[in-house]
Every structure is written in structure tokens, then in C-alpha cells.
Amino acid sequence: MIKRIATVAIYVEDQQKAKEFWTEKAGFKVVAEHPMGPNAFWLEVAPKGAQTALVIYPKSMMKDWNERKPSIVFECDDVLGTYETMKAKGVEFLGEPQKMQWGTFVQFKDIDGNEFVLKG
């Protein structure tokens, strides 16, 4: 049986800049970083204690990267607090947090234009 999502890949121009974004602005930790060919690494980042990680994969190694758009929702206990913290660190949000019947959500972009959702 499948028991969890292990990783989700996102495709980036510059792995080191993406690593800085996810660790310094989003507060993630590096889970794995292993050489993978010239000028590339297998790079995984995740929130502290998470069971699922993002693989930050170089676009240069994936010819059809533009057809592989991520659809990732990050769950958090305090959406508004997380939004304020990330926004203060320069993260681009696509609007203000929205309250719905099922909870609150807000969308943001990383430095490569990939879109993600915070929900709680």
C-alpha cells in the first residue's frame, strides 16, 4: 500500500537560488543534497519534521519541464501568521488570504514563477 507522498518535484533555473528561497524565506530545511552530474544536485527540502519533501530539480536536466507544473498545497496551523512571515521576507503572494467554509488559503510564487497554496 502507498503510505505517504515522499517527494514532489519542482523545476528551477538555479538550484542554489531556489535552495536559498526555500530555506531562508519559506523556513524549510535541507533533507538531502547529493551530486547528480555536472553542476547539479539531488536536492530535497522540507518543513521541519515533514514526511514529504520538495525535490528542487534543474530545468536543464528535464527537457519537458514546462509541461510538468506542480500543484502543491502546504497545510499550516496559522495561515495568516505564515503569510505575514513569508511576505515580510519578500515572498510574492497572488492576493490576500481568503476565508472559505473549509478554511483559509492564499497563493504564492517562488522565484521561478511556480505557484503554491498555503491552507489551514
Side-chain angles (χ1 to χ4, degrees), residues 3-119:
K3 65 180 188 177
R4 71 181 179 96
I5 297 171
T7 61
V8 176
I10 58 172
Y11 305 96
V12 301
E13 294 291 339
D14 184 316
Q15 282 184 300
Q16 291 307 310
K17 286 182 180 178
K19 177 182 170 183
E20 289 172 13
F21 174 87
W22 287 105
T23 58
E24 295 174 15
K25 294 186 177 186
F28 285 26
K29 304 291 181 202
V30 174
V31 175
E33 188 169 7
H34 309 289
M36 188 180 73
N39 303 316
F41 292 85
W42 181 263
L43 178 59
E44 294 181 24
V45 296
K48 184 179 178 181
Q51 292 183 337
T52 303
L54 292 179
V55 174
I56 299 174
Y57 203 86
K59 289 179 179 178
S60 61
M61 295 183 76
M62 184 66 70
K63 293 184 190 290
D64 64 345
W65 68 265
N66 59 338
E67 297 170 22
R68 298 174 176 252
K69 299 295 181 193
S71 176
I72 304 168
V73 177
F74 297 108
E75 188 170 347
C76 36
D77 292 329
D78 179 7
V79 174
L80 298 177
T82 303
Y83 164 79
E84 292 296 339
T85 299
M86 290 174 67
K87 187 174 179 181
K89 291 181 178 181
V91 175
E92 178 185 353
F93 283 85
L94 303 180
E96 300 292 318
Q98 302 292 311
K99 291 185 180 186
M100 306 297 279
Q101 291 176 324
W102 48 265
T104 302
F105 78 98
V106 63
Q107 292 176 287
F108 69 96
K109 286 185 178 183
D110 69 7
I111 59 172
D112 285 278
N114 295 308
E115 296 179 10
F116 304 90
V117 176
L118 296 177
K119 82 163 190 140

